[in-house]
Amino acid sequence: MRLKLVPSETKWDFFKYVSATFGASMLAMVVSVVLFFTVGLNFGIDFLGGTTIRTESTNAVDVGAYRQALTPLDLGDVSITEVFDATFEEDQNVSQIRIQQQEGHEAVTPETIQAMEAALRSVDPDITFPSVESVGPKVSGELVQTAILAVVLAIAAVLFYIWLRFEWQFSVGAVVALIHDITLTIGIFCLLQIRFDLTIIAALLTIVGYSLNDTVVVFDRVRENLRRYKKLDLKQVLNLSINETLSRTVMTSVTTLIALVSMYVLGGDVIRGFVFAMIWGIIVGTYSSVFVAAPVLLRLGVKRDWSKPSQGGGTQFANVDA
């Protein structure tokens, strides 16, 4: 007996409340943009420059004592946070200390780091320093430019690919869905102030690929059904196509989420931001394939007199469930 998360045949009307769902998506994008310019992202050392020191001790972390010990060193903006994780041992107490870029230096000097370590050892003799990471201002500036360029080029490549594979209306729908996914992901990071570093850029690029894959499967079935059901209008064809690929979409998303949730709970705080971005991206990516890309295609319309026969590309596994 096979597990089915949705029935084999569904006849749900995904466009019944299209004005509300699409309007909510556009509103969420506007809110995300406003959050970006007002609250801003909590950039990591990768993008700001500076030094991050990770401490570990068998004694409890005393943020106030740590800060008091570092104050005489005159390091400027120092952020001290205690790190919690379900995978830590009972006597494993971890903190993360972030120091702003020091004026006149590419990174915090080894002498300053040694002075910090000595100051913290005066508070807690058992403290250790598993990792010290430094990024200079020039490198961090280049990383910001490279990250933005990577995301823009990925979206441009998607636009070109969909334009070649389908009609231009399909490519516009797919790119609007991708921009929706990335914008909402950046918005949730602004809202929750989760650290935004290079691993999150990797997550954004992965989200682009995942969302595109889901959208292409739906669009392939739409193109196929446009040829098969010539008397149905575009809205009916879109509804039929989404229903036909729904089992595959839900199964793929749920199984991927199971793995990601396990990583989020058990993987440790180092990768938690990346995994959170992936979980959020899969949720909004699945949503946008149905409630953003399809309504855009419906709005733009598409011609139905293709001379080339459908090859069925990308739809051979559309009805597969488990």
Side-chain angles (χ1 to χ4, degrees):
M1 182 177 179
R2 297 188 304 168
L3 172 66
K4 294 184 178 180
L5 299 180
V6 296
S8 300
E9 296 183 6
T10 57
K11 296 182 179 179
W12 296 337
D13 185 1
F14 291 96
F15 295 90
K16 185 175 182 180
Y17 303 105
V18 64
S19 298
T21 55
F22 191 79
S25 296
M26 296 302 104
L27 178 62
M29 290 179 66
V30 172
V31 171
S32 296
V33 172
V34 172
L35 286 172
F36 177 77
F37 286 105
T38 56
V39 178
L41 290 166
N42 179 21
F43 287 109
I45 294 296
D46 293 339
F47 295 134
L48 289 180
T51 299
T52 298
I53 299 177
R54 187 180 177 91
T55 73
E56 190 171 316
S57 176
T58 55
N59 300 316
V61 174
D62 188 337
V63 174
Y66 284 11
R67 188 178 301 279
Q68 187 175 2
L70 295 175
T71 299
L73 299 179
D74 193 23
L75 298 172
D77 184 19
V78 177
S79 172
I80 305 174
T81 56
E82 186 173 0
V83 179
F84 299 95
D85 194 275
T87 61
F88 289 168
E89 301 292 338
E90 187 175 349
D91 61 347
Q92 186 178 6
N93 301 285
V94 178
S95 73
Q96 183 171 272
I97 303 173
R98 297 172 61 190
I99 310 165
Q100 70 175 23
Q101 185 63 47
Q102 302 296 295
E103 186 176 353
H105 298 281
E106 285 292 311
V108 176
T109 62
E111 292 78 12
T112 301
I113 293 175
Q114 291 174 6
M116 291 179 57
E117 293 178 352
L120 293 171
R121 285 196 181 99
S122 68
V123 175
D124 182 0
D126 295 330
I127 197 170
T128 59
F129 306 92
S131 66
V132 178
E133 300 176 359
S134 297
V135 178
K138 182 178 180 180
V139 174
S140 63
E142 291 175 351
L143 289 176
V144 171
Q145 296 176 7
T146 304
I148 295 174
L149 181 62
V151 175
V152 171
L153 288 179
I155 295 177
V158 168
L159 178 64
F160 182 68
Y161 166 75
I162 300 292
W163 176 58
L164 290 179
R165 186 176 179 88
F166 302 98
E167 299 294 295
W168 67 268
Q169 295 93 333
F170 288 88
S171 65
V172 172
V175 170
V176 170
L178 291 181
I179 294 174
H180 167 273
D181 300 343
I182 292 174
T183 303
L184 262 60
T185 302
I186 292 176
I188 197 69
F189 269 77
C190 292
L191 180 64
L192 301 180
Q193 285 295 287
I194 300 173
R195 187 176 62 191
F196 193 91
D197 51 26
L198 282 179
T199 61
I200 309 305
I201 296 299
L204 289 178
L205 295 175
T206 307
I207 291 168
V208 168
Y210 184 93
S211 179
L212 172 64
N213 176 71
D214 201 37
T215 303
V216 166
V217 168
V218 175
F219 279 179
D220 254 333
R221 184 54 62 92
V222 170
R223 183 175 59 177
E224 189 177 280
N225 285 336
L226 283 172
R227 295 188 178 96
R228 183 180 300 169
Y229 304 103
K230 299 184 182 300
K231 294 184 179 180
L232 294 182
D233 61 32
L234 181 57
K235 180 179 178 180
Q236 291 175 309
V237 171
L238 285 169
N239 249 328
L240 176 63
S241 302
I242 295 171
N243 276 285
E244 288 179 346
T245 57
L246 187 62
S247 178
R248 176 262 179 208
T249 298
V250 172
M251 181 59 70
T252 302
S253 299
V254 169
T255 51
T256 306
L257 285 173
I258 290 173
L260 288 173
V261 169
S262 300
M263 290 176 63
Y264 185 83
V265 174
L266 303 174
D269 65 288
V270 176
I271 64 169
R272 187 155 289 154
F274 171 83
V275 177
F276 175 82
M278 287 296 301
I279 291 173
W280 175 260
I282 285 175
I283 293 172
V284 297
T286 303
Y287 170 90
S288 66
S289 296
V290 176
F291 295 104
V292 176
V296 170
L297 181 60
L298 178 63
R299 179 68 176 175
L300 295 176
V302 63
K303 67 178 184 178
R304 308 186 60 161
D305 57 345
W306 290 299
S307 57
K308 296 181 180 179
S310 172
Q311 301 300 321
T315 61
Q316 62 267 43
F317 302 114
N319 291 327
V320 173
D321 56 5

